[in-house]
Amino acid sequence: MKAFILSCVISVLLLGCTSTGKVSTKQLKHTQWQLSHIADKSVIDSAVSIEFIEALQVAGNGGCNRFFGEGVLKDSLLRVNHIGMTRKLCDGDTNKHEQMLIDMLSVGVPVLMIENMLILKGQPELRFRVAG
């Protein structure tokens, strides 16, 4: 009985630690993410993606244009400095969503990682699933 209670307590503590969602540079390095939700609405076949490579370099697709920059993660706030991108013109909605993502990353956005989801807690909230 004591072993059962002890295992329950340990399980609760472990779940508590993993459910905080705090993100570290180590967790982000060498990961690729695909947009799956905008403000709790599912997105089907989105071209929007983000990838974290060595030294937290960031690259991705905003929906129309490719972007890249230097990622900085501090206290679960992700900011991308020196953002560069291609300059293709797309439809109005795609351009609007792309600019929203770039603005979030430029200014800095709180980021969480919960159950294989990367969440950018901006306005609106963007959820990414592991790409693959």
Side-chain angles (χ1 to χ4, degrees), residues 80-105:
V80 180
N81 296 322
H82 310 293
I83 293 180
M85 61 190 303
T86 59
R87 297 288 178 193
K88 293 188 265 180
L89 183 61
C90 292
D91 67 83
D93 282 343
T94 302
N95 284 334
K96 183 175 106 179
H97 287 117
E98 182 172 79
Q99 192 59 51
M100 174 188 61
L101 173 63
I102 297 302
D103 289 346
M104 275 185 205
L105 294 173

Side-chain angles (χ1 to χ4, degrees), residues 51-109:
E51 176 180 3
F52 299 91
I53 42 187
E54 196 60 39
L56 207 58
Q57 294 295 309
V58 178
N61 187 319
C64 181
N65 291 286
R66 302 272 314 146
F67 67 89
F68 54 91
E70 299 171 9
V72 176
L73 183 66
K74 184 175 182 183
D75 297 327
S76 292
L77 184 77
L78 175 65
R79 189 177 70 248
V80 180
N81 296 322
H82 310 293
I83 293 180
M85 61 190 303
T86 59
R87 297 288 178 193
K88 293 188 265 180
L89 183 61
C90 292
D91 67 83
D93 282 343
T94 302
N95 284 334
K96 183 175 106 179
H97 287 117
E98 182 172 79
Q99 192 59 51
M100 174 188 61
L101 173 63
I102 297 302
D103 289 346
M104 275 185 205
L105 294 173
S106 296
V107 172
V109 61

Side-chain angles (χ1 to χ4, degrees), residues 3 33 35-36 41 49 54 65 75 97 100 109 112 118 123:
W33 304 90
L35 183 68
S36 63
K41 292 182 182 175
S49 64
E54 196 60 39
N65 291 286
D75 297 327
H97 287 117
M100 174 188 61
V109 61
L112 300 171
L118 180 71
Q123 291 298 324

Side-chain angles (χ1 to χ4, degrees), residues 8-10 21 26 35 55 62 67 103 114 116 121:
C8 288
V9 169
I10 290 172
K26 185 177 178 181
L35 183 68
F67 67 89
D103 289 346
I114 300 173
N116 295 324
K121 300 290 287 178

